Amino acid sequence: MTEDIAPVRNGWDLGIRDILGMAWRNLVHIVRTPQLLVFSSIQPIMFVLLFRYVFGGAIKTPGGDYVDYLLPGIFVQTALFGGASTAVGLSEDLKQGIVDRFRALPMARSAVLAGRTIADLCRNVIVVLLMVAVGLLVGFRFHGSFVADIGAMGLVLLFGYTFSWVFAAVALAVRDPETAQLAGFLPIFPLVFASSAFVPVQTMPTWLRDFANVQPVSVTIDAVRALVTGAPVGHWLWQSFVWIAAILVVFVSIAISRYRTV
Amino acid sequence: MYAKDAIGERCAIGTTDEITVEGIGKRFGSTIALDDVHLTVPRGTVFGLLGPNGAGKTTLVRILTTLLRPDHGRAVVAGYDVVHDAAQLRSVIGLAGQYAAVDETLTGRENLKLVARLYHLPRREWGPRAEAVLERFSLTDAADRPVRTYSGGMRRRLDLGASLVGRPRVLILDEPTTGLDPRTRMELWVYVEDLVRDGVTVLLTTQYLEEAERLAARMAVLDQGKVIAEGTANELKDRLGGAVLEVAVADPKDLERARELLVGVGSGAPSIDPARNTVSVAAHQDAQVVLDAAARLLQGEVPLQDIALRRPSLDDVFLALTGNRTAVEPAAAQGPKRWGRRSS
């Protein structure tokens, strides 16, 4: 048994292969537990129906239909909430001790986290596509150019991916699946509801409006909304990218440094 | 570093140390988990690391498998320093533990192939390696079922198998049979014995003295982060003076009184086993001890059921070494021959 010593190599190609290996493992989980995907899609669908048919009539939006205002908010919210699966999956791995096995293997140290977030990104692609379909069913239409519409969806997914790292950092800090999910939603909730996701910010009190105008969820939704309605993206797009870059830098480093010491 | 010319070194099996631990210390806050630990494990042997919960066994395992950095000291495993050569070390060690760290959703075969992949083996090797492990651990029939359908024993076998996919030179088993039923435990022992015949060096932590005695050529006792004894099972037993005086009292109420009366008899502190109604104390193989003890108990008016000198068990050794503290947490008190089965 001691004859072969596994070759010791290092480098980017191996790191990427480790990430793909871990992503494959997590994707298998998603495919084999379709019920999770189904139930996690029900909540955003309820939000669409609730706001489209219950609250929507009472909400006045400047120019255009409310359904075209609403869906970009729903897309971003769905992608954001999808990040919670990163927290749950990661803390379950920690709890079951399988992370110890991975850390004792000669694989890239970043692969557990990167593989997890990439699998969750793939999961988000499915969920967001489903929401697009639901949106089209309730009357939402893309009005931007083809490139702008695809770009908008790309921005939604990138934003969701960014928050996967926030959830990963939270999971590594609290170490328990249920707590991780609850703790992860703490910052997400005010960001989603004190934003331009469902209602125009003009009716909010000044202090709240000032917050809502600059926070990452609002600027990203505004950018996505501008792209899919064919309006000029103004300052929203670059502000969204600045937020994404800042959040990634901060939370990727927190998550990786915490991962090294778990 | 001998890992680089392993062929030449292999002739010297049994004469070279595969694991060397020199003055390792680790603290968590104000708790000292390991305090100046020294150990050596010769290549191709099984070394048992014994100790109550919280003794520092798992901390040492985590340091030797690069999961944790020591605060000071040095440890070399298979020729690699656990801190400076951690990346290389990971490709020559295998770790299996009490958690059965396998993926529940994947099948047994997929788990093994994933591990082969993460060991950076060429793709064409994944299948054959997985197949070989499945066969060795009698999991071929269950290979394509998700692990969540496996029994506890099958999971442990898969976990042990996963640690062998990379064909490690050193295998570290952290309480590999904790929580298993006695039959499954014995099955697993047979697999471990089989591995040792292949020349793998094994470091095993356990709370089961029976397990250490059966599998490990040498063992060390860890208590509160310190190695308090090291040697073969027989050497450890000899430290007790070669024999144990055991007194069975007629009435359990007399146990404490009997213990007090026996202080000073033999060569250690007497201890009580409430389950068996006995007080035992380390002694020399000398009938005089029996007479002394009998005289004291007679004078103290403690009625006896039995009094005898016997060869010490490892149980006696640990009791004598770790003193009178109740070592085991109640929640963990399951299975035979565990720590702190006796208290005093």
Side-chain angles (χ1 to χ4, degrees):
Chain A
M1 287 291 278
T2 57
E3 299 300 319
D4 300 38
I5 293 168
V8 178
R9 288 172 298 172
N10 273 306
W12 275 100
D13 59 327
L14 284 180
I16 288 166
R17 278 202 264 162
D18 292 338
I19 292 172
L20 291 178
M22 291 307 298
W24 168 81
R25 173 218 169 209
N26 296 321
L27 284 171
V28 169
H29 278 238
I30 294 170
V31 172
R32 292 201 187 148
T33 46
Q35 63 274 26
L36 259 180
L37 200 58
V38 169
F39 282 103
S40 59
S41 309
I42 288 177
Q43 196 200 15
I45 293 175
M46 304 262 271
F47 265 92
V48 172
L49 300 177
L50 184 70
F51 278 90
R52 171 74 177 86
Y53 297 113
V54 179
F55 300 144
I59 299 169
K60 292 281 163 286
T61 46
D65 282 335
Y66 179 65
V67 70
D68 286 339
Y69 183 91
L70 172 67
L71 264 294
I74 294 284
F75 296 152
V76 171
Q77 182 208 25
T78 306
L80 212 51
F81 284 12
S85 58
T86 302
V88 175
L90 193 57
S91 39
E92 255 159 22
D93 283 352
L94 286 167
K95 208 171 163 184
Q96 285 171 3
I98 199 165
V99 169
D100 274 355
R101 156 146 289 141
F102 293 142
R103 289 179 70 227
L105 286 173
M107 62 190 279
R109 311 239 76 186
S110 54
V112 167
L113 296 174
R116 165 71 58 191
T117 51
I118 287 172
D120 288 328
L121 174 65
C122 297
R123 185 184 163 283
N124 253 346
V125 171
I126 301 169
V127 179
V128 169
L129 280 178
L130 180 74
M131 294 319 295
V132 170
V134 171
L136 292 174
L137 281 177
V138 299
F140 165 77
R141 292 293 177 267
F142 286 100
H143 300 286
S145 69
F146 180 72
V147 175
D149 293 340
I150 294 294
M153 291 300 119
L155 180 59
V156 167
L157 292 168
L158 176 64
F159 195 65
Y161 182 75
T162 303
F163 273 82
S164 267
W165 283 96
V166 175
F167 275 105
V170 171
L172 288 163
V174 302
R175 310 292 299 273
D176 165 75
E178 288 79 23
T179 317
Q181 196 174 7
L182 292 173
F185 273 117
L186 274 185
I188 304 278
F189 243 80
L191 286 177
V192 167
F193 288 97
S195 79
S196 57
F198 305 110
V199 292
V201 297
Q202 281 75 14
T203 60
M204 296 177 188
T206 323
W207 58 271
L208 190 58
R209 192 194 318 149
D210 291 345
F211 168 74
N213 270 327
V214 295
Q215 55 113 325
V217 174
S218 280
V219 297
T220 303
I221 289 173
D222 290 338
V224 170
R225 191 175 282 137
L227 287 167
V228 299
T229 52
V233 291
H235 52 79
W236 292 315
L237 195 57
W238 69 259
Q239 281 182 357
S240 173
F241 280 130
V242 169
W243 271 117
I244 286 170
I247 294 169
L248 276 177
V249 166
V250 171
F251 285 92
V252 169
S253 5
I254 293 177
I256 287 179
S257 80
R258 289 215 71 109
Y259 177 74
R260 284 182 200 279
T261 59
V262 286
Chain B
M1 227 172 282
Y2 56 69
K4 280 164 191 153
D5 51 30
I7 305 295
E9 288 286 332
R10 193 155 295 121
C11 312
I13 280 180
T15 61
T16 320
D17 291 325
E18 193 78 321
I19 302 177
T20 315
V21 176
E22 288 169 356
I24 288 282
K26 179 77 192 176
R27 58 193 307 160
F28 299 105
S30 60
T31 315
I32 297 171
L34 290 175
D35 185 9
D36 195 31
V37 170
H38 292 261
L39 286 177
T40 52
V41 180
R43 180 175 306 165
T45 64
V46 182
F47 189 88
L49 196 57
L50 291 151
N53 282 339
K57 300 190 299 290
T58 297
T59 305
L60 187 57
V61 163
R62 292 178 66 85
I63 287 173
L64 294 179
T65 50
T66 76
L67 298 178
L68 199 65
R69 275 166 165 259
D71 292 342
H72 45 83
R74 205 168 86 93
V76 178
V77 178
Y80 295 113
D81 186 287
V82 296
V83 176
H84 303 295
D85 313 314
Q88 292 99 314
L89 175 56
R90 285 184 203 117
S91 57
V92 295
I93 53 165
L95 166 67
Q98 47 182 316
Y99 298 111
V102 284
D103 191 301
E104 299 261 302
T105 307
L106 301 184
T107 66
R109 191 192 306 279
E110 286 168 341
N111 263 288
L112 297 171
K113 284 169 97 171
L114 177 63
V115 172
R117 181 175 187 170
L118 297 172
Y119 263 114
H120 299 151
L121 297 170
R123 182 182 282 266
R124 62 176 187 284
E125 286 280 317
W126 302 350
R129 290 274 179 121
E131 200 55 52
V133 168
L134 289 165
E135 219 159 280
R136 175 164 210 166
F137 290 92
S138 324
L139 290 167
T140 311
D141 291 341
D144 298 309
R145 263 165 44 199
V147 172
R148 72 160 57 89
T149 66
Y150 284 23
S151 69
M154 289 163 80
R155 269 170 218 232
R156 289 298 174 96
R157 261 144 59 198
L158 183 65
D159 185 52
L160 187 57
S163 68
L164 293 171
V165 168
R167 296 192 184 154
R169 295 176 48 177
V170 177
L171 188 59
I172 302 205
L173 305 176
D174 189 15
E175 301 198 10
T177 65
T178 294
L180 292 182
D181 63 74
R183 213 195 90 213
T184 318
R185 176 173 306 134
M186 275 187 268
E187 276 172 19
L188 211 69
W189 290 346
V190 175
Y191 287 110
V192 174
E193 283 167 337
D194 198 38
L195 291 176
V196 180
R197 265 189 294 267
D198 292 340
V200 178
T201 307
V202 179
L203 183 125
L204 164 99
T205 77
T206 183
Q207 299 193 42
Y208 302 114
L209 308 177
E210 202 186 341
E211 182 163 292
E213 195 159 14
R214 164 140 182 200
L215 296 175
R218 294 179 64 76
M219 55 194 81
V221 182
L222 208 57
D223 189 38
Q224 298 193 312
K226 284 188 171 121
V227 175
I228 54 172
E230 193 187 339
T232 63
N234 274 327
E235 281 168 5
L236 292 178
K237 287 174 183 176
D238 287 343
R239 284 179 56 145
L240 280 188
V244 170
L245 172 77
E246 193 170 78
V247 173
V249 295
D251 184 344
K253 285 201 289 288
D254 291 331
L255 278 172
E256 186 51 39
R257 172 113 182 95
R259 193 191 66 79
E260 282 165 20
L261 288 167
L262 289 173
V263 172
V265 173
S267 50
S271 56
I272 295 174
D273 181 352
R276 293 172 55 225
N277 261 345
T278 59
V279 178
S280 46
V281 58
H284 291 284
Q285 186 72 47
D286 180 355
Q288 192 58 46
V289 178
V290 184
L291 298 177
D292 282 354
R296 284 175 180 226
L297 293 163
L298 200 63
Q299 214 163 23
E301 291 177 354
V302 175
L304 298 184
Q305 203 167 52
D306 190 21
I307 181 163
L309 266 182
R310 58 172 173 79
R311 176 81 179 142
S313 66
L314 269 184
D315 260 346
D316 300 315
V317 178
F318 294 116
L319 209 57
L321 286 172
T322 58
N324 290 336
R325 270 171 296 105
T326 309
V328 80
E329 296 160 15
Q334 42 168 327
K337 295 220 173 195
R338 280 195 84 114
W339 281 89
R341 196 186 71 188
R342 302 166 185 189
S343 56
S344 57

